[in-house]
Amino acid sequence: QVQLVESGGGSVQVGGSLRLSCAASGYTYSGVCMAWFRQAPGAEREGVAVIETGGTTNYADSVKGRFTISKDNAKNTVYLQMNSLKSEDTAMYYCAADPRWRCVNWVRPSDYNYWGQGTQVTVSS
């Protein structure tokens, strides 16, 4: 059974940084699309960043240049480095995975089979 466990959330001031981690286990597929989503209170879940098996990445416009997604295959872990954080980045952040090679339409939550429990990120001024 696939399990995704996020960690690294917390409270930080505007302009600060955080690094989120998503540890995956039980995954036997050869190709996987790994993504980070976030959801603020009263808002829809939105795609933040994605990384394909081959390493290709994509980002939401709102985080380009500030966030970086990466992975360590040996540790089965995906990271989200978040710099220059803004108050609007405050949300619950979720890791998601789907067994496919290309992450087409990666921003659609319904396209992902596996989800973590989420980690809270709070950015205050």
Side-chain angles (χ1 to χ4, degrees), residues 35-48:
W36 286 97
F37 284 77
R38 66 186 181 187
Q39 188 168 20
E44 294 186 353
R45 192 166 295 191
E46 64 170 344
V48 175

Side-chain angles (χ1 to χ4, degrees), residues 28-106:
T28 59
Y29 303 102
S30 57
V32 60
C33 185
M34 298 290 298
W36 286 97
F37 284 77
R38 66 186 181 187
Q39 188 168 20
E44 294 186 353
R45 192 166 295 191
E46 64 170 344
V48 175
V50 66
I51 187 165
E52 297 181 348
T53 301
T56 299
T57 59
N58 209 342
Y59 299 90
D61 287 343
S62 59
V63 306
K64 280 181 181 177
R66 300 188 298 121
F67 290 11
T68 302
I69 188 171
S70 61
K71 61 178 179 172
D72 184 331
N73 291 328
K75 296 182 178 180
N76 290 326
T77 300
V78 174
Y79 304 98
L80 185 68
Q81 178 67 44
M82 305 185 295
N83 299 328
S84 302
L85 282 161
K86 305 176 180 179
S87 57
E88 51 262 44
D89 295 318
T90 295
M92 185 71 80
Y93 283 70
Y94 297 92
C95 178
D98 194 67
R100 51 191 163 123
W101 284 93
R102 298 298 308 276
C103 305
V104 178
N105 295 321
W106 67 272

Side-chain angles (χ1 to χ4, degrees), residues 1 4 12 15 17 19 22 34 39 46 50 55 69 76 85 90-91 117 119 122 124-125:
Q1 184 173 348
L4 303 175
V12 65
S17 298
R19 188 177 82 154
C22 172
M34 298 290 298
Q39 188 168 20
E46 64 170 344
V50 66
I69 188 171
N76 290 326
L85 282 161
T90 295
Q117 81 289 350
T119 185
T122 302
S124 58
S125 56

